[in-house]
Amino acid sequence: MEEKTVNGENEIVGGLNFVEQEIVKDLAEGKNGGRLNTRFPPEPNGYLHIGHAKAIIMDFGSAEKFGGTCNLRFDDTNPQKEDTEYVESIMRDIHWLGYDWEDRLYYASDYFPQLYDFAIRLIKEGKAYVDEQTSEQIAAQKGTPTEPGTNSPFRDRPIEENLDLFERMNKGEFEEGSMVLRAKIDMANSNMHFRDPIIYRIIKTPHWRTGDQWKVYPMYDFAHGQSDFFEGVTHSICTLEFVPHRPLYEYFVKELADESYCPRQIEFNRLNLTYTVMSKRKLLQLVKEGLVSGWDDPRMPTLCGLRRRGYTPESIKDFVNRIGYTKYEALNHIELLEHSVREDLNKTATRVSAVINPVKLIITNYPEDKSETIMMDNNPEKPEDGKHPMPFTRELWIEREDFMENPPKKYFRLSPDKEVRLKGAYIIKCTGVKKNSEGDIEEIYAEYDPETKSGLPGSDRKVKGTLHWVSVPTAVDVEVRDYDRLFSVENPSAEEGDFRDLLNPDSLVVREGVKLEPWAAQHAKPGDHFQFTRLGYYTVDPDSTENHLVFNKTIGLKDTWAKEMKKS
Ligand code: ATP
Ligand code: MG
C-alpha cells in the first residue's frame, strides 16, 4: 500500500480492505442468512475501462473470496444510448479478466413491469405525481443544500389524474420532456436527492430488448436499489459519488418491500489514472470523432485497448491491488500500472531480438557463405522455457544508436577500434565505416574474435558493452507501433477548456522496416507477448497478416517507478 493508515476505513486488517472487512462482519453476524451476493451493474452505453476493472475485481473478487456469488446486471434503462455491441464487449472483457457470472445474467429491463407496478402503487398511495414543468423549471425549484426547494404546482394534483397521465405517458401520448413522474417526498430535505426526485421519464426510442413496449423509463435511483432487491443482492458495492444516493436507495427499497432485508450499499473510491480520461462520454467522443482508431485503440484506458496494447489481466489485478480500496478520492499514477505490466511480462514474455532503427554491420573476417545457429534463452528468468535458434552471419543489423563515431567517455557501445560483445555470440572490434555523400553512415565494419564465442571454454573475456543484433539474410521486416501518453497533461479532466485540445499529438509513432529474428516472426500470433532484447515488451497486434506482422509496444524496460518505490 502506498498510503499510510489514516482512519479505520482505509486500514487494511488481516489483509482485508474496509469493504471486505464489512462483508466478513456481516457474514459472521449471519446477516441475510449468511448469504453473500454482489453484482456488477454496467450500463451498456460504452466499453469497459480500467476503472470498471476496479469495480469488477471488487464485485466478483469478493464473492469469489468469501464463497458468495456475483450477478452481472446490465443497467439498460436508457435506450437512447445503449447498444448490443456494448453488451457483448462488456461480457468479453469480464471474461478476459477471469470472472464468470455463470447463470446470473440479468437486465434491469427485465424488471420494467415490476418497477412500473411499483410506480403505480406509489401514485395510488399519494407518494408520486406527474409534473408537467420543464426540466429547467424543476431544477430552478430544487433549492440549495442550505435553502429548501419550492413545491411544484402539480405536486398536489388528484391521484386519479396522476394515474391517468402516467398511463398515457407510457402509451406514448405525450412528447419526450413534456412530463415526468416524481416521487413526492420532501422539498426541504437536507439531502437534495429527497427533494421529489424524478423517477420516470418519457423516451420514445425503441429499447434494444423490449422494443416499443415502454414509453416511460425508470431513472437510475428508481431502478438500481429495486433491481438489487429483486435479485436478492446482499452487498451493493459502488463508487463514492453514490454516497448521497444511499438514503434514497434505502427509502425506495423500504417502500417497495417493507421487510427487514435491504441490500447494503457500500462505497469505495474510484480509480482515476493520470494522462487519460475515464469518462465514457469523452471516450465515446474520441472514438466517434476518429481521434483514436476505435474503442480498442492501444492508447485508450479501455480494457480492450489495454489488452491490445499488451496488458494482461494479472497486471491489471496487481495494479488494482496496489492502489487499494479506500474512502479517499485519488489520482493514480499510470507509472504504477506500467510497473505492474512490466513485472508480469518479465515473468512470461519470450525474449527475442529485433532492431528498431537498423544499420548494417559487416564482419569482414567472417566467411561469406558461413552461418551458425546460436541458441538463445527464451527467458533467463525461467530456464525451463528453453531456448530457440537464431542464425549468425557475416552481415548483421544493429541499432544505429549503438554506434558512435566520436563517442564521449564512458560510451560502452560500438565505436572505432572499440570492442563489444554481440549478445549470445562473439566479441567484435570496429574497424571502420562507410558513409554516403551526405555523410550518413551506411555500413559499419568489424572483425570478430573466433575464440570468444559465448558459452565456450575460454570465452569469458569481458567487454563492457553487449549489443543485440539480427542476421541480415534471415531478418523479417515488421511494423512496430510506439505509443506515448494519450494526453499531454497529467490530469486532463481538471483543466479548463476542451479536453480534445490536450491530446498528445505524438502519442503514436509507426515504424516500418523493423528487423525481427526469423524464429519470432514464424511463431508470433496476435496477442503474443515478447520482450525485444534491450528495448521493451511488445505484443502482436490483430492487424497482423501472414506477410506483415504488426507489434504494439506495450512498455519499455526502464522502470523509474520501481526506483521511486525503493526510495520511499
Ligand atoms: P456513466 O456515467 O455512464 O454512469 P460509469 O462509468 O458510472 O458511467 P457504469 O456502467 O454505470 O458506468 O459503471 C458500472 C460500475 O462501475 C458502477 O458501479 C461504477 O461505480 C463502477 N465504476 C465506473 N467507473 C469507475 C472507476 N473509475 N473506478 C471504479 N469503479 C468505477
Ligand atoms: Mg454509472
Side-chain angles (χ1 to χ4, degrees):
M1 286 294 299
E2 271 178 87
E3 257 164 35
K4 294 277 175 288
T5 298
V6 185
N7 70 36
E9 292 200 304
N10 302 303
E11 201 171 340
I12 299 278
V13 177
L16 303 181
N17 62 50
F18 81 98
V19 182
E20 295 170 326
Q21 292 166 41
E22 290 299 312
I23 292 174
V24 166
K25 209 167 105 218
D26 288 348
L27 290 176
E29 287 171 5
K31 269 196 196 164
N32 307 304
R35 271 188 326 112
L36 169 63
N37 192 168
T38 58
R39 88 289 165 267
F40 175 63
E43 183 176 357
N45 63 351
Y47 281 62
L48 295 182
H49 54 57
I50 188 162
H52 295 115
K54 179 171 177 177
I56 292 169
I57 291 167
M58 169 53 78
D59 297 330
F60 282 93
S62 60
E64 204 172 81
K65 200 162 175 178
F66 303 110
T69 48
C70 179
N71 302 353
L72 171 59
R73 178 172 70 241
F74 285 102
D75 176 24
D76 56 347
T77 52
N78 183 356
Q80 288 166 327
K81 291 187 179 166
E82 295 161 9
D83 197 280
T84 45
E85 177 196 348
Y86 301 132
V87 171
E88 280 153 28
S89 76
I90 288 169
M91 294 200 204
R92 204 182 311 129
D93 289 344
I94 297 173
H95 276 152
W96 178 67
L97 284 176
Y99 298 111
D100 192 15
W101 51 90
E102 295 168 347
D103 58 353
R104 292 174 303 277
L105 172 61
Y106 301 101
Y107 297 87
S109 53
D110 289 341
Y111 311 128
F112 286 169
Q114 283 126 291
L115 292 169
Y116 185 81
D117 289 348
F118 180 36
I120 297 279
R121 201 178 96 199
L122 289 179
I123 296 173
K124 286 183 177 165
E125 292 173 5
K127 294 173 182 165
Y129 61 96
V130 171
D131 196 338
E132 290 174 55
Q133 299 181 98
T134 63
S135 56
E136 290 77 17
Q137 286 170 317
I138 292 175
Q141 291 166 354
K142 268 252 138 156
T144 67
T146 49
E147 284 167 73
T150 313
N151 285 357
S152 161
F154 298 97
R155 198 170 197 262
D156 293 315
R157 73 190 330 161
I159 289 176
E160 286 312 314
E161 204 175 299
N162 282 316
L163 274 179
D164 176 60
L165 285 174
F166 186 54
E167 277 163 11
R168 286 166 59 201
M169 275 167 73
N170 193 36
K171 286 194 187 121
E173 289 186 26
F174 307 114
E175 289 312 302
E176 288 185 13
S178 63
M179 44 184 86
V180 292
L181 185 69
R182 295 176 73 179
K184 190 176 184 175
I185 309 181
D186 176 10
M187 286 306 288
N189 202 292
S190 60
N191 183 329
M192 301 288 283
H193 295 282
F194 275 83
R195 296 188 183 176
D196 291 8
I198 296 172
I199 58 177
Y200 265 95
R201 70 248 204 243
I202 300 169
I203 298 177
K204 296 208 167 162
T205 310
H207 188 283
W208 64 283
R209 290 190 83 233
T210 58
D212 55 9
Q213 191 184 346
W214 303 95
K215 300 285 186 296
V216 291
Y217 288 87
M219 301 295 288
Y220 173 86
D221 280 324
F222 196 68
H224 197 77
Q226 284 85 306
S227 302
D228 284 347
F229 178 83
F230 297 141
E231 289 171 20
V233 165
T234 59
H235 294 79
S236 185
I237 309 166
C238 59
T239 35
L240 286 173
E241 70 270 26
F242 292 103
V243 169
H245 295 248
R246 196 198 312 147
L248 189 58
Y249 175 107
E250 291 170 352
Y251 171 88
F252 281 132
V253 173
K254 291 255 148 64
E255 282 291 329
L256 174 66
D258 198 22
E259 279 177 36
S260 55
Y261 155 69
C262 177
R264 177 176 176 193
Q265 180 179 305
I266 307 176
E267 312 84 9
F268 63 82
N269 63 339
R270 309 173 68 82
L271 185 159
N272 297 300
L273 206 54
T274 52
Y275 296 102
T276 191
V277 293
M278 218 58 94
S279 141
K280 278 197 270 189
R281 183 181 57 78
K282 288 180 183 165
L283 295 174
L284 178 67
Q285 208 174 347
L286 295 179
V287 173
K288 286 250 161 88
E289 293 174 10
L291 298 168
V292 293
S293 67
W295 284 101
D296 67 346
D297 187 301
R299 293 165 292 184
M300 292 278 272
T302 49
L303 293 179
C304 55
L306 289 165
R307 171 164 70 236
R308 186 168 177 182
R309 174 80 172 261
Y311 279 76
T312 57
E314 293 73 24
S315 62
I316 292 171
K317 287 180 185 170
D318 179 65
F319 168 65
V320 166
N321 187 36
R322 283 171 194 270
I323 59 173
Y325 295 83
T326 72
K327 286 271 188 189
Y328 289 121
E329 289 298 359
L331 180 61
N332 306 112
H333 291 273
I334 196 167
E335 289 85 353
L336 189 57
L337 174 63
E338 293 172 345
H339 173 76
S340 292
V341 75
R342 217 180 257 116
E343 279 208 336
D344 188 42
L345 294 182
N346 181 44
K347 287 184 249 161
T348 57
T350 303
R351 275 57 169 172
V352 297
S353 207
V355 176
I356 297 276
N357 185 14
V359 62
K360 199 180 269 185
L361 170 75
I362 299 175
I363 304 171
T364 50
N365 62 340
Y366 196 87
E368 259 175 70
D369 51 359
K370 189 174 167 175
S371 171
E372 284 172 75
T373 299
I374 310 255
M375 295 307 291
M376 299 295 245
D377 284 333
N378 285 331
N379 187 345
E381 308 267 317
K382 276 167 74 194
E384 68 272 22
D385 279 7
K387 295 172 185 281
H388 70 266
M390 190 161 107
F392 183 88
T393 51
R394 174 184 163 95
E395 294 195 356
L396 305 172
W397 296 114
I398 62 168
E399 299 288 349
R400 218 163 251 287
E401 290 74 30
D402 280 340
F403 177 82
M404 266 184 106
E405 216 176 355
N406 299 301
K409 262 191 187 149
K410 299 215 168 160
Y411 182 82
F412 299 124
R413 292 177 266 174
L414 200 58
S415 53
D417 300 318
K418 289 281 160 54
E419 283 189 329
V420 292
R421 178 173 288 283
L422 295 173
K423 189 175 166 55
Y426 299 98
I427 292 176
I428 58 162
K429 183 180 195 171
C430 176
T431 53
V433 295
K434 176 178 147 193
K435 293 185 187 171
N436 65 14
S437 52
E438 257 117 68
D440 299 327
I441 291 171
E442 277 189 330
E443 287 173 353
I444 300 168
Y445 303 110
E447 288 181 356
Y448 85 118
D449 177 350
E451 303 301 311
T452 57
K453 188 166 178 182
S454 293
L456 289 187
S459 68
D460 45 1
R461 180 150 73 82
K462 291 273 181 288
V463 285
K464 284 233 163 94
T466 300
L467 307 187
H468 64 278
W469 50 273
V470 171
S471 152
V472 170
T474 56
V476 177
D477 278 10
V478 301
E479 176 182 329
V480 164
R481 297 176 186 165
D482 240 333
Y483 301 101
D484 197 352
R485 311 275 183 240
L486 183 54
F487 287 89
S488 43
V489 299
E490 193 173 59
N491 190 3
S493 310
E495 304 281 329
E496 306 267 313
D498 191 330
F499 78 106
R500 292 166 299 182
D501 296 340
L502 305 170
L503 281 164
N504 174 5
D506 304 315
S507 58
L508 169 64
V509 176
V510 176
R511 303 175 197 278
E512 292 286 354
V514 169
K515 309 293 181 187
L516 181 64
E517 62 162 293
W519 182 85
Q522 278 155 23
H523 289 82
K525 294 184 308 302
D528 284 353
H529 308 290
F530 291 95
Q531 186 195 98
F532 289 178
T533 300
R534 294 177 66 224
L535 298 174
Y537 295 100
Y538 293 76
T539 301
V540 185
D541 191 85
D543 280 352
S544 298
T545 62
E546 213 178 311
N547 300 318
H548 185 69
L549 280 172
V550 180
F551 287 82
N552 294 312
K553 181 167 185 177
T554 308
I555 189 70
L557 291 179
K558 207 165 136 202
D559 193 346
T560 47
W561 193 264
K563 263 191 229 153
E564 289 301 315
M565 285 199 294
K566 264 190 209 129
K567 265 192 263 164
S568 64

